[in-house]
Amino acid sequence: MKEDKVKTFENILRKHHLKVTLPRLKVLENIFNKDTATSQPELEKSIGKDIDRVTLYRVLNIFEEKGIIHKIFDLHGTATYALCSPQCTTHQHHDEHVHFSCSICNSIYCLQEIKLPEISTPPGFSINQVAISAIGICNKCKSLKAASIS
Amino acid sequence: MKEDKVKTFENILRKHHLKVTLPRLKVLENIFNKDTATSQPELEKSIGKDIDRVTLYRVLNIFEEKGIIHKIFDLHGTATYALCSPQCTTHQHHDEHVHFSCSICNSIYCLQEIKLPEISTPPGFSINQVAISAIGICNKCKSLKAASIS
DNA sequence: TTAAGTGCAAAATCTTTGCAAATGT
DNA sequence: ACATTTGCAAAGATTTTGCACTTAA
């Protein structure tokens, strides 16, 4: 693990009053290294058995509670995790970006750059947060498809 | 069960080449009678043990395959089901309405009346479907809250 | 030093599968 | 009659809990 990255991860942990431990650094590293949201099974595979499965669950849960990562369900209902934006806090998440789910590879991308539309609120309801999921084919699967045709 | 409703449910089943059986009618009735999307455990409770849990799972799965119901995940990742719009087919769902999740009672409402916003597609991706979830407080929980204050 | 975090075993859930019996057309 | 559907038992998968040991601060 690169030294500067370790420092960054350590700072994230300290900011949330969490002790700096190997499992937590490993989880942060592995989530950070992917450009798509990662599920518990994927993390288990990529981290290897350096850390216990139960610990992995516990780390993911506490990271979500603290607002370090946010949970997104993929098309099959499996929980996946991605880093939160810096303004997330323990009690309020601010991850109101579009989540793109690829129907071929099942990957989830957090598309920060797309601006969110306004949703009109029906009478009697109040809306605190809007979650937008776009479902389609991601850029990687599209190029694979194009390659297989040509 | 009312006679005319039974006829409607029977027609739905026949339209999809499914045999008319008691478990299937019960599931249709119970989903139809709720104004919010219903989870497997809720259905199990409301149907009672007239039908087996495994049958319930199987009925829900085949209904979803056939496009009779659609699956929505609630805030805790539990699958919930609601009736599809009539233009849904086996291979293509057309349920692009807003799903409202109440953060108090965890209910999910299909808000057919809200018009969907346009989402701009990032380069390299293609979007087939957009799912919008609004998270907030539903009308029932709002009035409960108001009542408890006054 | 000590509160927080980890690992292991075991339990609790949730969902699917195999197969014989029952049922709809 | 016969393919489909159901119910039961059992397996598989996923997630949580309890508790003793370890470790960061």
Side-chain angles (χ1 to χ4, degrees):
Chain A
M1 218 184 309
K2 289 236 190 80
E3 269 311 309
D4 51 342
K5 276 193 185 172
V6 177
K7 285 274 171 285
T8 308
F9 298 149
E10 284 181 6
N11 285 338
I12 292 173
L13 292 175
R14 278 195 250 277
K15 194 173 101 187
H16 293 91
H17 310 101
L18 294 172
K19 288 188 180 173
V20 177
T21 65
L22 186 63
R24 288 172 178 171
L25 291 173
K26 285 265 185 191
V27 171
L28 280 179
E29 188 197 13
N30 277 272
I31 293 183
F32 185 86
N33 282 341
K34 310 235 165 140
D35 59 342
T36 56
T38 319
S39 65
Q40 182 277 330
E42 283 170 340
L43 283 170
E44 200 176 320
K45 232 183 295 172
S46 64
I47 295 178
K49 53 188 168 49
D50 289 356
I51 79 170
D52 190 74
R53 172 178 302 162
V54 175
T55 302
L56 178 49
Y57 276 108
R58 285 196 274 230
V59 168
L60 290 173
N61 284 339
I62 204 165
F63 281 7
E64 198 202 355
E65 267 176 41
K66 296 288 184 176
I68 299 175
I69 58 179
H70 62 285
K71 191 196 275 189
I72 316 131
F73 294 103
D74 72 12
L75 296 175
H76 306 302
T78 301
T80 68
Y81 299 90
L83 288 181
C84 279
S85 66
Q87 62 268 37
C88 288
T89 66
T90 301
H91 296 299
Q92 185 72 48
H93 280 256
H94 298 275
D95 297 291
E96 307 203 354
H97 49 264
V98 173
H99 287 136
F100 182 93
S101 296
C102 177
S103 54
I104 294 179
C105 67
N106 198 38
S107 291
I108 296 179
Y109 294 79
C110 295
L111 303 177
Q112 309 278 357
E113 63 273 17
I114 296 184
K115 66 173 197 306
L116 287 177
E118 287 292 311
I119 298 290
S120 54
T121 307
F125 289 64
S126 65
I127 292 178
N128 296 325
Q129 211 185 108
V130 177
I132 314 251
S133 300
I135 299 155
I137 302 177
C138 73
N139 52 2
K140 285 184 190 158
C141 288
K142 273 190 93 168
S143 30
L144 281 178
K145 227 173 158 185
S148 75
I149 289 167
S150 64
Chain B
M1 219 184 307
K2 290 234 190 81
E3 269 311 309
D4 51 343
K5 276 193 185 173
V6 177
K7 284 275 172 287
T8 309
F9 299 148
E10 283 182 5
N11 286 339
I12 292 173
L13 291 175
R14 278 195 249 277
K15 195 174 101 187
H16 293 92
H17 310 100
L18 294 173
K19 288 188 179 173
V20 177
T21 65
L22 186 63
R24 288 171 177 170
L25 290 173
K26 286 265 185 188
V27 170
L28 279 178
E29 188 198 14
N30 277 271
I31 293 182
F32 185 86
N33 281 341
K34 310 235 164 140
D35 59 343
T36 56
T38 319
S39 64
Q40 182 276 330
E42 282 171 340
L43 283 170
E44 200 175 321
K45 232 183 295 171
S46 64
I47 295 177
K49 52 188 169 48
D50 288 357
I51 79 170
D52 190 73
R53 173 177 302 163
V54 174
T55 303
L56 179 49
Y57 276 108
R58 285 196 273 230
V59 169
L60 290 173
N61 284 339
I62 204 166
F63 281 7
E64 198 202 355
E65 267 175 42
K66 296 287 185 177
I68 299 175
I69 58 179
H70 62 285
K71 190 196 274 191
I72 316 131
F73 294 103
D74 72 10
L75 296 176
H76 306 302
T78 301
T80 68
Y81 300 89
L83 288 182
C84 279
S85 65
Q87 62 268 37
C88 288
T89 66
T90 302
H91 296 299
Q92 186 72 46
H93 281 257
H94 298 274
D95 297 292
E96 307 204 351
H97 50 264
V98 173
H99 288 135
F100 182 92
S101 297
C102 177
S103 53
I104 293 179
C105 68
N106 198 38
S107 291
I108 296 180
Y109 295 80
C110 296
L111 303 177
Q112 310 277 358
E113 63 272 18
I114 296 184
K115 66 172 196 307
L116 287 177
E118 287 292 313
I119 298 289
S120 54
T121 307
F125 289 65
S126 65
I127 292 178
N128 296 327
Q129 211 185 107
V130 177
I132 313 253
S133 300
I135 299 155
I137 301 176
C138 73
N139 53 2
K140 286 184 188 157
C141 288
K142 273 190 93 167
S143 31
L144 281 178
K145 227 173 159 186
S148 72
I149 289 168
S150 65

